[in-house]
Amino acid sequence: MYLLSSFDEADSTRAALMRAGLELLAERGYKGSTTREIAARAGVSEVTLFRQFGSKKALLQAAVQKLRPPVEQVLPGSSHKEVASSSLENSLLHLAQNYMRMLEANQGLLVRLLPELARHPELHGETGPLGLRKAMSAVFEYFAELQKQGLLRSDESPSQVAVTLLGPLFARVLLLGAMGIQPQFDLKAHVRGFLEGRRYGQR
């Protein structure tokens, strides 16, 4: 579930350059990453980098837009499949477990990369990375489908429901993990607590 293992990019040279660029951005920051080092890590010449992207900034902007969490490995099946009421808790637990595995597999990368992107908003643009927006949309659609099936109450937006379930996991793995704080955490209890009052018909 390594975030940089693949890009939606048919050209393997461009994909390697984008992956190398993001890795070095996380490791050395924007100013500390040079086109020569990015090209070397990608296994190509610096001339190739400039031919493909024109500049370091353009390369990193393209890479950030392509950055997309592997939601197909996180969501419990297609958002359009029926989820039996009896299996709702198991489906959400599966989602939460996979989401935590993805965060843990990329913890070091994300802890360094996210602050660098915050310092350089020109790299992700005003609307944020397209790949990330698509991934978030897929998650929101999953929760919208559960609401449509009558398994979850629909008085909250799908995005709010998703953040309520997954936001604490993000905070635990990335924020607390970055500080070396690992309090005990019962994922099953978290999912049950999330469902309390949210199953359709509950108040």
Side-chain angles (χ1 to χ4, degrees), residues 66-79:
K66 294 279 189 176
L67 188 59
R68 180 180 181 272
V71 289
E72 66 280 353
Q73 298 179 43
V74 174
L75 291 175
S78 171
S79 61

Side-chain angles (χ1 to χ4, degrees), residues 104-178:
E104 289 167 351
N106 295 278
Q107 182 182 39
L109 172 72
L110 291 172
V111 166
R112 298 188 303 268
L113 183 60
L114 294 179
E116 198 62 23
L117 292 177
R119 282 191 288 269
H120 296 279
E122 70 275 11
L123 295 181
H124 56 71
E126 294 183 1
T127 58
L130 177 61
L132 180 58
R133 296 204 314 272
K134 288 182 177 179
M136 291 172 62
S137 293
V139 175
F140 297 160
E141 287 172 7
Y142 173 77
F143 283 97
E145 183 66 23
L146 295 181
Q147 291 174 325
K148 182 179 178 181
Q149 291 177 26
L151 297 174
L152 292 177
R153 284 169 34 205
S154 58
D155 55 347
E156 293 178 288
S157 68
S159 59
Q160 182 173 330
V161 175
V163 170
T164 302
L165 177 65
L166 303 177
L169 307 183
F170 183 91
R172 181 179 183 273
V173 174
L174 293 185
L175 302 182
L176 295 181

